[in-house]
Amino acid sequence: MSHPGQPAPIFDPALVRSAVWDSVLKLSPRHMVRNPVMFVVEAGAAFSTLLAVQALRGHGQDSPFFVIAVSLGLWFTVLFANFAEAMAEGRGKAQAASLRRSRRQIPAKFLTEPRHGGHFAVIPSANLRKNDTVLVEAGDEIPCDGEVIEGVASVNEAVITGESAPVIRESGGDRSAVTGGTLVLSDWLVVRVTADPGQTFLDRMIALVEGARRQKTPNEIALDILLAGLSIIFLLVTVTLMPFSLYAVRAAGAGTAVTIATLLALLVCLLPTTIGGLLSAIGIAGMNRLIQANVIALSGRSVEAAGDVDVLLLDKTGTITLGNREAVAFMPAPGVTEAALADAAQLASLADETPEGRSIVVLAKERHGIRGRDISALGAAFVPFTAHTRMSGVDLNGRQIRKGAADAVEAHIRNLGGALSAEVRRDVDAIARNGGTPLVVSDGARVLGTVHLKDVVKGGIHERFLELRRIGIKTVMITGDNPLTAAAIAAEAGVDDFLAEATPEAKLGLIREYQAKGHLVAMTGDGTNDAPALAQADVAMAMNSGTQAAKEAGNMVDLDSNPTKLLEVVAIGKQLLMTRGALTTFSIANDVAKYFAIIPAAFAATYPGLQALNVMHLATPQSAILSAVIFNALIIVALIPLSLKGVKYRPASAAALLRRNLLLYGVGGLLLPFPGIKLIDMALVALHLA
Amino acid sequence: MTPNSLVQVGLLVGLLLALARPLGWYMARVYEGKPVGLDRVLGPLERLIYRVCLVNPAEETGWKAYARDMILFNLAGLLVLYALQRVQAWLPLDPLHFGPVSPESAFNTAVSFTTNTNWQGYAGETTMSQLSQMAGLAVQNFLSAASGMAVLVALIRGIVRRRSDTLGNFWVDVVRGTLYILLPLSFVLALALVSQGVVQTFTGSATVPLLQPAAVSQPKLDAAGKPVLDARGDPVMEAATVSAQVLPLGPVASQVAIKDLGTNGGGFYNTNAAHPFENPTPLSNLLQLIAIGAIGAGLCVTFGIMVGDRRQGWALLAAMLLLLVPLMLVCLAQEQAGNPVLGRLGVNQAASALQPGGNMEGKEARFGVAGSATWAALTTATSCGAANSMHDSFTPLGGLVPLFLMQLGEVVLGGVGSGLYGMLLFVVVAVFAAGLMVGRTPEYLGKKIDPFDMKMAALGILAMPLVVLLGTALASVTKAGLAGPANPGIHGFTEMLYAFTSAGNNNGSAFAGLNANTPFYNMTLALAMLAGRFLVKLPVLALAGSLARKKAAPAGPGTLPTHSPLFVAWLLAVVIIVGGLTFFPALALGPIAEFLTHAR
């Protein structure tokens, strides 16, 4: 199945073909007016076309060839900008199309009574409304977004997540949300519809990737204002150049006044067309990158906010540590060998399918070479863990081997007349202090020792936190553990701070506290009890596997349900802003060289001394102006890949990032046009076009 | 460039830097309402002013009320100053009986002095009564400076305050700025200038015998005092010998002191600081130069102290000096190199024991090239505009420096208050682009820059190019405008460009050579001055109000550092690129074309 997150090559032929056509359609003034800079360029191109008509009829100020060439240059500037936008949208549309394929009509088993076993009628999914209930059975597609109110089933959500391993969805708890278009593999579910048609998760996703509902973020608006301000200045500069030129011609008694076509060319060269033309492509591409990371942002604003985040709240389990604890040591009681303890612990765990149980078996094998045994062959009876006893174990040849929490085992052996020795008690405390979980093993009334279970910090997480610290993001671990355990894991993982024994209220309080100090807080969550904190956080990523409440409260959903993804979202947010900033700087820095091309070309006839400013030694005034216009248009195309991929982001301090980007895009933007314009000029001369 | 010039530049910059720290610290205390020592003496006067003016000094206002008060205050000043000039003939202290000032000149002057521009279309010593000079012009010198500083302080408070609706009390800021900063400094400076020979008197004029009687030809007058006409209607000329000269006098030192300190620049005399009674010695020249730059430099330190991070203030001061000093050196080098046309004729223009060398046209012998070029650069870098030489007579590139320093938006030290708030608008733009480049929503000193802030910064930066370019364009194609320049050709264009640049930036210096006392120039330049002042001040106050309402984000490694050399360099680039891109074509058709034409 095609997956929405698959990155396509930048210049995919099919995409290019449709983008070329779109860029012509986008010439409609109604579309262009949304982008003031490019709208001015289009108006200039139209005006210059009229001048070309005038020149062709023999009344023009310039040669028809020159005016036509300038007009073409201006039109292509607009078309290239449209092409960039169309390319970005096209990539989004390709993703949307594969999503839309899963949104086709699905027959829904509409339940008249909201319970399993009731009567149902098959209706098209489009007729479902919020709060209707439907039955979904093995082999059925889930017809709509909803919440499981009854039943448990395995569901294939590959259409959304690209992950083919089935997931469990069940009523109650934190795994009750289902998404329309996903497939039930086994059992059945009764689902209450939570979204009207057109409002479903899939619909929102499609709208987002298509850019249809893309609203400008505050940063984009502020940048628009800056660009508009600069455009007004450049408009003033070119408009007033006409009277200045008239004065100069009279004063010098030489040359002719600057022509309108030249002024139009100068205006378009000065306007920040590079950033103006690529701005919307950058925004759309940013959203697409996020979708490639399998994260759906409910607004562009939240993506940018992710770049600003400076406090990250992370759940311990699943984010910082692997979900499971692992046995790391056997600590025998006095008079017991470690091998004997390991043997007993292994026996007690053989039938225990929990990860902790399995890790004990593994450790016993590693440390003492104790092989796995067939528990039924031994004639042993497995005693499973219950919430009541809080122990598990085996009964074997009259031996009663148990393992469990210290207090549970203590109660158990006291009943049998035994007692916990001081040494064991000390071991238990020591393990807890170090962030581990002690598991006491007993044989009958006798305590054999303690197994040290430890939270396993994910590989590489320590380095990621270091990276985050370097870019100024503080990490806070949230855990239900006691403060001792929490502190030990926090130290091992390298987080900056932790919140132990966290309740929903405490989480909310912590977020508010950070926000009051001016921080921007990001967090992940999946449970209903996370919802208040998710709603309060500035960037809140809900897990797709989480409850509907959590998804509603968050402003992003991670389809892979991987809390570490937040780190990638931060990078994508930063990259988005950096691309905008870098291209703005580049665009403005370009103008310097264009002055050196156009000013001597336009005025050297009046003041011959100004020829000295022609530092690029461009062939003729016409070739100079055309070269500047052509460079200005081509640079947009040249930068399309950069605007779609984003500038390179490496985690570093703000000072280091600024140095790098200023050098690359500021100084580079200042220097690059000089050779660029010169080369185009040489090409024009070689082609006898000048 | 001679060693003498370098010593003078070094001395000037060194003294400005040395003064900035104590003065900045003192001004911060004044505006933070802390005891400053002088309040023990002037405190009762301060409180009396509040009582008389019905001002409650404890009451603070938001930006709109602050702006309203500022505008009302300046409007009232404008009207009073206009009225005073129009009725000066009927008021005391008019010993030379000048009569009322013409309406458009009075309007131009009233606007000029209330906007801290001090563009002077008139000749002071033959137009203004002593009362107009003292109670009209000099008073506005204080008040326009104090209101510029007040707007800056409001902006600083906007940056400092968190979730606040108020920016302070305009009346209190003006009163404290005047009483505790401008008045005492002016008092000390005026005394120092008097010691150098600057006049300070109510005597109308002195008649002195000439060392060498001069032979002149003058129209013959009949008994009624009318010129006798010959048959063709031309006046009959007769030879006469002049042996005495009338020297107008007045309260000069007191006006010169605030003219420099408040970066006003309006001289008592037409020739301004070139006049021996305004600026008699090289020492008085140096004192005045320091006075012109002192408060502007000190306010950067004040800024650093008030925002709680002194490095921020020093960074801005560094940016300003890094613009000022190289441009000043360019001006010096160009003037010292002399006139290339004369050079080709074999004239020796090198400095030697016998001659100052360089281009001495339009310069006072007692200041020489160094004293004149440093002044020209500083008076245009700040929005002072006082002149001790004729910028019109500078070499093309030497004259380009003052022009370009103004076209940067008067942000290199700039006017008192206005220079720094203008620079802070550029900081907003620089922070915005740089902030994006580090991948964060741009913020300055913890305050996020949102679309509204950007709008205000863009408006504030846009106002000046608008009036300068449109004004010059209008003048260069209309008959009334073209009547102004004394020189034809390229230089005439530079003269017009300079006039609108000077007015639009509230500098007030004149390139001279432009007859601006005409209805056209009086009115257009007055409008340029108003726009250049208030279309910047209002967005600045709105920006201050918006920033004050925000909470502040704490700084961390992910925060763009705004005190680093890198940021200073970036800020410089933004200022130069915006100024350069805006004015390069105009400069190319003015001084650059002139230079290249001469150089051929």
Side-chain angles (χ1 to χ4, degrees):
Chain A
M1 168 154 238
S2 131
H3 169 235
Q6 266 164 15
I10 295 246
F11 288 109
D12 179 67
L15 274 180
V16 171
R17 263 194 304 280
S18 77
V20 165
W21 179 236
D22 278 350
S23 50
V24 177
L25 291 183
K26 280 172 186 284
L27 287 176
S28 145
R30 208 166 340 151
H31 174 82
M32 295 300 297
V33 79
R34 281 173 32 197
N35 185 341
V37 174
M38 296 318 292
F39 184 68
V40 173
V41 179
E42 187 179 35
F47 191 34
S48 150
T49 309
L50 292 180
L51 290 176
V53 173
Q54 187 197 32
L56 281 173
R57 297 175 65 187
H59 307 296
Q61 299 165 302
D62 290 296
S63 72
F65 166 76
F66 176 70
V67 190
I68 291 172
V70 167
S71 310
L72 282 176
L74 304 195
W75 279 118
F76 271 102
T77 310
V78 186
L79 284 172
F80 289 161
N82 286 349
F83 178 70
E85 192 183 80
M87 283 292 290
E89 284 175 354
R91 287 156 69 81
K93 276 187 190 138
Q95 292 172 329
S98 88
L99 288 172
R100 197 175 278 119
R101 247 171 275 138
S102 50
R103 203 188 49 171
R104 59 183 189 276
Q105 286 300 339
I106 301 166
K109 296 173 178 166
F110 176 76
L111 285 166
T112 40
E113 291 171 67
R115 60 175 185 82
H116 185 235
H119 173 75
F120 67 79
V122 177
I123 62 169
S125 59
N127 294 2
L128 288 173
R129 289 293 175 272
K130 217 167 164 173
N131 291 328
D132 287 348
T133 37
V134 291
L135 173 69
V136 198
E137 292 170 304
D140 290 350
E141 274 181 52
I142 298 176
C144 56
D145 286 5
E147 189 171 3
V148 180
I149 53 173
E150 210 181 329
V152 51
S154 61
V155 179
N156 182 339
E157 294 195 336
V159 60
I160 299 288
T161 63
E163 183 64 55
S164 55
V167 292
I168 301 297
R169 292 286 173 258
E170 59 191 339
S171 62
D174 291 346
R175 294 186 294 179
S176 63
V178 288
T179 311
T182 55
L183 186 70
V184 173
L185 296 176
S186 70
D187 306 284
W188 52 265
L189 296 171
V190 175
V191 174
R192 184 166 52 79
V193 179
T194 52
D196 286 331
Q199 304 289 310
T200 65
F201 193 62
L202 207 57
D203 289 313
R204 278 194 292 183
M205 230 169 114
I206 291 168
L208 276 166
V209 294
E210 283 191 320
R213 243 197 299 147
R214 222 175 67 81
Q215 281 176 329
K216 285 188 176 173
T217 63
N219 273 323
E220 270 180 285
I221 297 171
L223 182 54
D224 271 347
I225 292 168
L226 177 65
L227 296 180
L230 288 169
S231 304
I232 293 174
I233 289 184
F234 293 136
L235 200 63
L236 267 173
V237 169
T238 36
V239 166
T240 55
L241 211 44
M242 181 59 97
F244 294 174
S245 164
L246 288 171
Y247 177 94
V249 169
R250 198 168 29 208
T256 50
V258 63
T259 63
I260 294 175
T262 304
L263 285 182
L264 284 174
L266 177 63
L267 173 63
V268 171
C269 285
L270 291 181
L271 287 176
T273 45
T274 311
I275 179 67
L278 295 174
L279 194 54
S280 61
I282 294 170
I284 297 169
M287 290 297 263
N288 289 352
R289 276 200 296 284
L290 202 64
I291 289 161
Q292 274 162 24
N294 259 355
V295 175
I296 302 296
L298 302 184
S299 73
R301 192 185 287 228
S302 54
V303 186
E304 286 180 11
D308 293 349
V309 157
D310 54 1
V311 175
L312 215 51
L313 301 191
L314 297 161
D315 262 332
K316 182 196 81 175
T317 311
T319 312
I320 295 170
T321 62
L322 298 167
N324 323 311
R325 285 167 296 192
E326 209 171 71
V328 290
F330 296 111
M331 306 174 84
V336 180
T337 64
E338 195 177 319
L341 170 63
D343 184 64
Q346 192 241 25
L347 279 174
S349 308
L350 275 174
D352 182 356
E353 279 303 309
T354 64
E356 287 87 352
R358 282 202 297 269
S359 79
I360 292 175
V361 176
V362 170
L363 187 71
K365 187 177 174 192
E366 277 176 5
R367 290 277 172 86
H368 302 286
I370 301 167
R371 295 183 158 275
R373 288 163 275 193
D374 186 347
I375 190 160
S376 48
L378 293 171
F382 179 57
V383 182
F385 179 89
T386 67
H388 181 67
T389 61
R390 293 189 292 137
M391 293 186 302
S392 63
V394 285
D395 290 341
L396 172 77
N397 304 333
R399 285 171 79 186
Q400 267 194 342
I401 304 176
R402 294 288 182 275
K403 66 178 202 299
D407 55 338
V409 175
E410 189 180 7
H412 164 72
I413 58 176
R414 195 178 298 131
N415 282 343
L416 299 172
L420 219 56
S421 70
E423 286 82 359
V424 172
R425 209 178 287 282
R426 204 179 51 225
D427 285 345
V428 165
D429 287 346
I431 291 168
R433 223 176 5 256
N434 288 326
T437 308
L439 212 55
V440 177
V441 181
S442 66
D443 184 353
R446 182 164 167 240
V447 174
L448 297 176
T450 320
V451 180
H452 184 170
L453 290 180
K454 201 174 153 194
D455 264 311
V456 184
V457 171
K458 281 186 176 174
I461 201 89
H462 193 83
E463 289 69 32
R464 292 204 91 161
F465 289 150
L466 263 178
E467 208 169 81
L468 285 172
R469 193 166 311 127
R470 212 163 42 232
I471 61 173
I473 297 177
K474 178 176 175 166
T475 44
V476 182
M477 182 182 83
I478 308 282
T479 171
D481 291 343
N482 64 58
L484 272 181
T485 311
I489 297 169
E492 190 182 344
V495 292
D496 297 306
D497 204 353
F498 64 87
L499 177 69
E501 288 166 352
T503 58
E505 295 76 29
K507 279 191 212 178
L508 191 61
L510 186 70
I511 294 174
R512 289 202 172 132
E513 195 184 311
Y514 276 118
Q515 285 173 336
K517 287 187 212 151
H519 292 282
L520 253 87
V521 183
M523 75 167 283
T524 57
D526 52 5
T528 302
N529 61 7
D530 287 330
L534 284 169
Q536 180 71 35
D538 300 285
V539 174
M541 192 165 80
M543 303 295 102
N544 192 43
S545 58
T547 59
Q548 194 66 28
K551 283 163 140 181
E552 297 279 330
N555 45 22
M556 281 182 206
V557 178
D558 178 24
L559 300 174
D560 298 338
S561 303
N562 168 13
T564 331
K565 194 71 79 57
L566 204 47
L567 308 184
E568 277 162 55
V569 175
V570 167
I572 289 171
K574 284 193 180 292
Q575 201 185 20
L576 179 63
L577 294 181
M578 279 167 54
T579 310
R580 279 198 204 119
L583 289 184
T584 303
T585 308
F586 183 85
S587 191
I588 302 299
N590 267 209
D591 283 358
V592 175
K594 294 171 191 163
Y595 265 143
F596 280 97
I598 296 181
I599 294 292
F603 298 107
T606 308
Y607 297 133
L610 287 177
Q611 193 56 39
L613 294 180
N614 184 5
V615 291
M616 286 171 273
H617 298 289
L618 305 176
T620 65
Q622 296 201 340
S623 77
I625 293 168
L626 283 180
S627 304
V629 170
I630 293 172
F631 176 85
N632 191 52
L634 287 183
I635 198 74
I636 296 179
V637 181
L639 290 173
I640 288 178
L642 182 72
S643 67
L644 294 186
K645 280 194 297 200
V647 304
K648 200 162 178 181
Y649 171 71
R650 232 184 260 137
S653 71
L657 285 174
L658 181 64
R659 191 162 45 238
R660 179 189 144 83
N661 286 329
L662 269 185
L663 226 84
L664 214 55
Y665 299 99
V667 179
L670 201 65
L671 298 180
L672 178 74
F674 284 98
I677 292 175
K678 176 69 186 169
L679 281 175
I680 296 171
D681 183 71
M682 285 160 66
L684 287 179
V685 172
L687 294 171
H688 300 291
L689 288 173
Chain B
M1 236 177 296
T2 60
N4 174 29
S5 328
L6 292 176
V7 169
Q8 290 207 29
V9 173
L11 191 64
L12 174 61
V13 174
L15 285 171
L16 280 179
L17 277 172
L19 263 178
R21 188 190 291 265
L23 188 58
W25 173 82
Y26 174 81
M27 290 191 289
R29 290 186 75 83
V30 169
Y31 286 115
E32 282 173 339
K34 291 180 181 162
V36 289
L38 265 181
D39 46 2
R40 271 185 242 160
V41 187
L42 295 173
L45 179 57
E46 184 190 354
R47 286 187 288 278
L48 179 70
I49 295 173
Y50 297 147
R51 238 192 329 273
V52 171
C53 301
L54 303 175
V55 168
N56 173 9
E59 188 185 32
E60 298 210 330
T61 64
W63 78 266
K64 284 180 188 156
Y66 200 96
R68 178 201 62 206
D69 292 347
M70 184 263 298
I71 287 185
L72 284 179
F73 180 66
N74 284 315
L75 184 68
L78 195 157
L79 293 176
V80 167
L81 184 52
Y82 177 80
L84 188 61
Q85 294 174 75
R86 300 285 293 139
V87 301
Q88 65 174 3
W90 299 280
L91 294 174
L93 284 175
D94 184 16
L96 299 179
H97 306 291
F98 289 138
V101 182
S102 76
E104 76 267 4
S105 173
F107 173 66
N108 181 286
T109 305
V111 168
S112 172
F113 278 73
T114 43
T115 55
N116 198 257
T117 313
N118 296 30
W119 170 268
Q120 293 169 294
Y122 60 92
E125 66 271 38
T126 57
T127 316
M128 294 288 170
S129 76
Q130 289 182 355
L131 186 73
S132 298
Q133 295 262 25
M134 210 170 59
L137 304 181
V139 165
Q140 280 308 317
N141 278 353
F142 279 97
L143 299 183
S144 66
S147 86
M149 287 155 74
V151 170
L152 169 68
V153 169
L155 177 58
I156 298 177
R157 292 199 189 109
I159 294 171
V160 174
R161 293 186 176 182
R162 290 152 192 216
R163 296 185 174 285
S164 163
D165 286 326
T166 62
L167 292 175
N169 183 320
F170 174 75
W171 308 111
V172 172
D173 290 338
V174 164
V175 169
R176 287 184 70 87
T178 309
L179 270 189
Y180 296 127
I181 299 172
L182 297 173
L183 266 176
L185 288 176
S186 300
F187 186 74
V188 174
L189 180 63
L191 287 182
L193 291 176
V194 167
S195 81
Q196 292 300 302
V198 178
V199 296
Q200 178 75 9
T201 173
F202 281 133
T203 311
S205 61
T207 305
V208 292
L210 290 178
L211 290 176
Q212 192 180 355
V216 296
S217 126
Q218 63 182 33
K220 188 176 175 181
L221 303 181
D222 61 12
K226 291 213 168 109
V228 179
L229 305 179
D230 64 12
R232 291 193 314 181
D234 294 332
V236 177
M237 303 303 280
E238 62 177 4
T241 306
V242 177
S243 56
Q245 182 184 15
V246 177
L247 299 174
L249 302 174
V252 179
S254 57
Q255 192 171 332
V256 167
I258 184 63
K259 153 191 114 174
D260 295 328
L261 283 163
T263 59
N264 299 282
F268 189 93
Y269 295 103
N270 191 27
T271 52
N272 209 301
H275 197 290
F277 286 174
E278 276 203 44
N279 189 10
T281 65
L283 180 59
S284 74
N285 198 55
L286 179 65
L287 286 176
Q288 292 199 37
L289 276 172
I290 292 166
I292 288 170
I295 292 183
L299 281 172
C300 292
V301 176
T302 305
F303 172 79
I305 293 173
M306 287 178 78
V307 302
D309 182 357
R310 290 177 185 234
R311 297 171 305 177
Q312 304 291 344
W314 287 111
L316 294 179
L317 184 55
M320 292 177 176
L321 291 180
L322 283 172
L323 280 167
L324 173 65
V325 174
L327 283 167
M328 191 181 262
L329 292 179
V330 167
C331 185
L332 262 171
Q334 288 293 322
E335 291 308 300
Q336 193 65 57
N339 185 334
V341 179
L342 290 179
R344 279 201 290 276
L345 294 173
V347 177
N348 177 9
Q349 298 184 82
S352 70
L354 295 175
Q355 63 172 21
N359 173 27
M360 277 298 288
E361 183 195 310
K363 294 186 179 63
E364 290 292 304
R366 63 185 186 283
F367 305 134
V369 167
S372 304
T374 45
W375 183 296
L378 188 67
T379 199
T380 47
T382 67
S383 83
C384 181
N388 73 353
S389 58
M390 295 303 115
H391 299 176
D392 194 30
S393 296
F394 276 36
T395 59
L397 293 190
L400 180 142
V401 166
L403 190 52
F404 189 57
L405 274 166
M406 288 189 282
Q407 288 171 341
L408 291 178
E410 286 299 11
V411 295
V412 180
L413 297 176
V416 291
S418 65
L420 188 51
Y421 67 62
M423 184 56 113
L424 286 169
L425 293 181
F426 279 105
V427 167
V428 168
V429 173
V431 154
F432 185 77
L436 288 183
M437 273 191 282
V438 304
R440 289 247 295 212
T441 293
E443 61 191 25
Y444 184 54
L445 300 176
K447 297 298 181 83
K448 293 225 183 301
I449 308 297
D450 66 23
F452 180 82
D453 305 326
M454 200 63 219
K455 207 179 286 175
M456 292 306 122
L459 275 180
I461 290 175
L462 199 61
M464 186 274 287
L466 188 86
V467 296
V468 174
L469 287 175
L470 287 182
T472 312
L474 188 67
S476 58
V477 287
T478 55
K479 209 171 164 194
L482 290 171
N487 299 67
I490 311 180
H491 203 68
F493 178 74
T494 311
E495 285 168 359
M496 294 184 297
L497 178 64
Y498 195 103
F500 282 97
T501 303
S502 175
N505 282 292
N506 300 124
N507 180 277
S509 73
F511 210 44
L514 181 81
N515 175 21
N517 198 359
T518 65
F520 173 81
Y521 280 106
N522 274 328
M523 296 313 284
T524 50
L525 292 175
L527 290 178
M529 289 187 270
L530 282 173
R533 183 76 166 173
F534 293 102
L535 291 187
V536 182
K537 266 186 174 184
L538 288 178
V540 165
L541 283 175
L543 174 66
S546 155
L547 291 177
R549 275 193 295 272
K550 292 176 188 168
K551 58 184 180 186
T559 316
L560 173 79
T562 48
H563 59 265
S564 64
L566 183 68
F567 183 78
V568 169
W570 171 235
L571 177 62
L572 287 181
V574 169
V575 171
I576 292 175
I577 286 193
V578 170
L581 292 180
T582 310
F583 290 106
F584 183 74
L587 290 173
L589 292 178
I592 295 177
E594 196 178 353
F595 166 77
L596 292 171
T597 306
H598 286 180
R600 279 160 76 86

